[in-house]
């Protein structure tokens, strides 16, 4: 009986420790996706938006589709195509697909077909 109790306790400790996330900016009630340390999040509202919760800026206010390929987030929105590197904080915006470099273009094309 004692072995079962110890095993149960250890399993619970592993589960609890695996569920904790140490985000600098934890997700809120409107958070749909969270990236990196939580600085960048996809938030829901009337529409989805890509938000920098640290600066309260929205690099894309009307997000239609998004996809993460660590550490990049590909976003298709009303203003065009946004590429976020959440490790470096670098954001590149493109109005048209013919402006996007070939490597990223492939991902944006696949995303637009989904």
């Amino acid at each position: 009986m004692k072995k079962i109790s110890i095993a149960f306790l250890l399993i619970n400790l592993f589960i609890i420790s695996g569920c904790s996330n140490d985000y600098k900016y934890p997700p809120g009630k409107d958070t749909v996706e969270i990236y990196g340390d939580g600085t960048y999040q996809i938030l829901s509202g009337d529409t989805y938006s890509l938000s920098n919760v640290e600066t309260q800026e929205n690099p894309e206010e009307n997000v239609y589709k998004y996809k993460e390929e660590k550490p990049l987030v590909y976003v298709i929105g009303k203003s065009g195509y946004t590429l976020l590197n959440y490790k470096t904080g670098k954001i590149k915006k493109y109005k048209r697909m013919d402006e996007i470099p070939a490597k990223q273009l492939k991902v944006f094309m696949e995303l637009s077909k989904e």
Side-chain angles (χ1 to χ4, degrees):
M1 183 71 169
K2 191 174 184 179
K3 287 183 180 181
I4 293 173
S5 296
I6 291 172
F8 181 74
L9 178 63
L10 288 173
I11 290 171
N12 283 332
L13 286 174
F14 285 124
I15 291 172
I16 291 169
S17 67
C19 293
S20 66
N21 291 316
D22 295 325
Y23 292 119
K24 184 176 179 182
Y25 301 98
K29 66 177 181 136
D30 295 333
T31 302
V32 177
E33 294 287 337
I34 188 166
Y35 303 109
D37 66 357
T39 300
Y40 293 96
Q41 300 181 14
I42 300 285
L43 303 176
S44 66
D46 293 334
T47 62
Y48 283 1
S49 63
L50 174 63
S51 180
N52 179 327
V53 295
E54 182 176 55
T55 64
Q56 299 299 308
E57 295 175 329
N58 294 327
E60 179 59 65
E61 294 190 14
N62 294 303
V63 172
Y64 304 138
K65 295 182 179 185
Y66 56 91
K67 179 178 183 176
E68 177 183 15
E69 287 192 3
K70 294 182 181 182
L72 302 174
V73 179
Y74 296 81
V75 178
I76 299 175
K78 185 176 181 180
S79 69
Y81 305 90
T82 303
L83 183 61
L84 162 68
N85 183 325
Y86 55 80
K87 282 193 175 183
T88 64
K90 196 170 192 178
I91 297 172
K92 293 182 183 178
K93 297 185 87 124
Y94 306 97
K95 293 280 185 193
R96 298 183 325 267
M97 275 199 167
D98 62 358
E99 300 172 342
I100 303 171
K103 186 176 180 181
Q104 288 82 25
L105 179 61
K106 181 180 177 184
V107 178
F108 275 117
M109 289 179 73
E110 289 172 3
L111 182 58
S112 66
K113 292 177 184 177
E114 292 179 358

